[in-house]
Amino acid sequence: VWHPCTQMKQHEIVPLIPIARGEGAWLYDFDGRRYLDAIGSWWVNLFGHANPRINAAIRDQLDKFEHVMLAGFTHEPVVELSERLGKLVSDKLGHCFYSSDGASAIEIALKMSFHYWRNSGRPEKNRFVSLQNDYHGETLGALAVTDVALFRDTYSPLLRHGAHVLTPDWRYACAGESPRDYALRAAAALEAHLDEHHAETAALIVEPLVQGAAGMGMYHPDYLRLARQLCDAYQIHLIADEIAVGFGRTGTMFACEQAGILPDFLCLAKGLSGGYLPLSVTMTTHAVYQAFYHDETGRGFLHSHTHSGNALACRAALATLDIFEQDNIIEANRIKANYLNRAAQPIALHPKVKNFRHCGMIWAFEVDTKDPAFAGEFFQAALKQELSLRPLGNTVYFMPPYVINEQEMDLLVAGT
Ligand SMILES: *Cc1c(COP(=O)(O)O)cnc(C)c1O
């Protein structure tokens, strides 16, 4: 097995942890040790491991059928999921195109946006803008709109680079500048860029409210509100990459709600299936859909992924949405977030900790260190405290499953 995002040679000294089973917020190895999954297995797990309700839904589907190609065929789980996502987000974004990974959902949004403009007689609109430090996945198209040097620079000759505009992440604000003032300054920089480049720009792509891979950089929702206005004014699509922040992570079901805006494309993955199975979706508007709807085959969106709309994954997603509704999760998370905020005060006040911040069910802080080995050493030390925590550089963050209880939050804070 060649492991993801890993220099394999490091495993000569650091062993992998084989997992035997999971239950709730915990992972168990074969030696009786357990680890609190405090980063939700790379930001996907919402309702714990081996969740009985999601398991039951998948088992039920398994006895009917597991998968059928979504070209020429359809099935109840994919139709129901699309209808429920449409209701949840807005009927204005009710057209759902399915794929398996987040990066594929991004590729689809980029291709659809360009193709929309092409079908509308404006093929010159074929460039993309994203935020400085944004992350949108590792495939070549997604990497071209990503701005994380470690992941991107090696492959630079293969990429058709997009532009990156000033990030609204308030860690970059000047002394005395409020997060909102800084967001307004970043929006002005976006306006300047679009003013010059709107004629060749198809879309702006953003990670709404939290730039995950950048080290959980957080920003004021007014940036999104202004970005939406600018996109309308300059006739540019807005692509919201809610792959990490969707499904309650920022305190609302979707981050865009906090700015009162709707994007033209909404990309969802990770928590969509409760973190169970690879499932992603690109949701879009009727205007976009209509631009492809034609007698001519070539005007259609001739893009496919083999497992598009996989029935087992859709059932996991439906069971996940049931839990949100039945257990009033958004409200319950607010209470949990308040608890963890209070419990985490000793971390926030620690002399080596900077920028302690929180947005919904995401917490992050920088550790005052120049040690390049910090992230790896912290990961190892956290394991000894029964915690799975994987810092991004010197940024430590928590993204726990929503089933985490008060006792587990206390363990998380004490161990950290
Ligand atoms: C994880 C992530 C992606 C990529 O998703 P994959 O499923 O890993 O391809 C894209 N955008 C954001 C914001 C992400 O967090």
Side-chain angles (χ1 to χ4, degrees):
V1 180
W2 193 339
H3 291 263
C5 203
T6 298
Q7 172 47 266
M8 291 302 291
K9 192 161 194 295
Q10 281 167 4
H11 284 306
E12 287 181 10
I13 25 179
V14 187
L16 287 155
I17 304 156
I19 293 301
R21 66 189 182 89
E23 191 183 336
W26 294 93
L27 294 165
Y28 296 84
D29 70 11
F30 287 84
D31 301 322
R33 275 189 294 264
R34 61 174 195 168
Y35 309 96
L36 186 72
D37 193 359
I39 58 166
S41 290
W42 260 353
W43 322 351
V44 300
N45 192 288
L46 302 185
F47 299 124
H49 297 281
N51 182 294
R53 287 143 90 183
I54 303 175
N55 287 6
I58 295 173
R59 279 201 193 99
D60 180 67
Q61 183 59 39
L62 206 45
D63 288 332
K64 293 177 176 150
F65 71 96
E66 70 306 314
H67 180 74
V68 61
M69 62 179 169
L70 204 60
F73 293 90
T74 188
H75 54 81
E76 189 176 336
V78 79
V79 172
E80 192 188 338
L81 180 59
S82 307
E83 287 177 352
R84 284 179 69 178
L85 288 172
K87 278 206 194 80
L88 208 53
V89 177
S90 161
D91 280 337
K92 295 201 173 92
L93 282 168
H95 296 282
C96 295
F97 196 102
Y98 291 91
S99 47
S100 311
D101 290 292
S104 308
I106 298 294
E107 301 276 343
I108 289 162
L110 299 175
K111 283 177 70 176
M112 268 187 187
S113 172
F114 158 74
H115 198 164
Y116 167 91
W117 293 116
R118 188 176 184 277
N119 281 352
S120 311
R122 302 185 66 181
E124 70 285 0
K125 280 171 95 64
N126 57 38
R127 294 271 164 191
F128 299 100
V129 197
S130 66
L131 305 181
Q132 218 175 21
N133 303 336
D134 247 12
Y135 178 86
H136 299 293
E138 308 286 348
T139 54
L140 295 177
L143 206 52
V145 290
T146 286
D147 186 34
V148 180
L150 180 67
F151 302 144
R152 188 196 54 202
D153 286 1
T154 306
Y155 308 101
S156 199
L158 304 183
L159 306 176
R160 187 165 181 276
H161 287 275
H164 305 286
V165 290
L166 183 68
T167 171
D169 173 354
W170 59 251
R171 288 177 299 174
Y172 295 88
C174 297
E177 194 176 29
S178 74
R180 182 169 181 277
D181 287 344
Y182 178 60
L184 299 186
R185 179 150 67 89
L190 172 63
E191 181 165 18
H193 178 88
L194 294 185
D195 197 52
E196 195 177 336
H197 298 287
H198 63 92
E200 71 263 19
T201 302
L204 165 70
I205 178 167
V206 297
E207 288 181 84
L209 295 189
V210 183
Q211 293 186 283
M216 303 297 156
M218 298 181 184
Y219 62 86
H220 196 282
D222 275 354
Y223 182 83
L224 292 176
R225 202 173 45 75
L226 292 166
R228 175 72 272 182
Q229 284 174 13
L230 291 169
C231 286
D232 288 339
Y234 286 104
Q235 294 198 310
I236 285 161
H237 288 138
L238 178 60
I239 303 172
D241 174 356
E242 296 221 18
I243 289 166
V245 296
F247 298 99
R249 263 304 152 194
T250 65
T252 45
M253 194 63 174
F254 300 102
C256 284
E257 290 171 35
Q258 293 184 44
I261 61 148
L262 282 176
D264 300 288
F265 297 91
L266 178 65
C267 300
L268 303 171
K270 293 196 166 117
L272 171 60
S273 67
Y276 260 65
L277 287 160
L279 180 67
S280 56
V281 63
T282 306
M283 298 177 72
T284 192
T285 62
H286 200 57
V288 169
Y289 183 76
Q290 277 300 319
F292 293 78
Y293 201 82
H294 205 267
D295 292 326
E296 209 180 297
T297 307
R299 277 180 71 111
F301 192 57
L302 306 185
H303 178 112
S304 64
H305 292 285
T306 306
H307 281 97
S308 180
N310 175 269
L312 293 171
C314 288
R315 285 297 298 273
L318 287 166
T320 299
L321 294 183
D322 287 343
I323 298 175
F324 269 105
E325 273 173 35
Q326 290 161 9
D327 295 6
N328 205 0
I329 293 299
I330 298 295
E331 198 47 47
N333 279 355
R334 236 163 249 158
I335 296 163
K336 286 190 188 188
N338 282 338
Y339 184 88
L340 185 45
N341 266 336
R342 274 197 309 276
Q345 278 313 297
I347 297 176
L349 298 173
H350 192 283
K352 287 247 174 196
V353 165
K354 283 192 304 190
N355 302 330
F356 184 88
R357 58 195 177 278
H358 144 252
C359 180
M361 292 296 278
I362 307 173
W363 288 263
F365 57 88
E366 275 73 52
V367 175
D368 187 10
T369 173
K370 298 251 177 319
D371 181 2
F374 171 78
E377 284 169 9
F378 190 99
F379 175 69
Q380 292 302 325
L383 291 173
K384 297 205 175 80
Q385 304 287 333
E386 301 191 320
L387 302 176
S388 164
L389 286 172
R390 203 171 185 273
L392 295 153
N394 68 333
T395 303
V396 178
Y397 69 94
F398 307 149
M399 234 157 132
Y402 304 159
V403 293
I404 193 169
N405 63 30
E406 292 185 357
Q407 195 196 356
E408 289 158 350
M409 289 191 264
D410 289 339
L411 282 173
L412 172 57
V413 168
T416 303

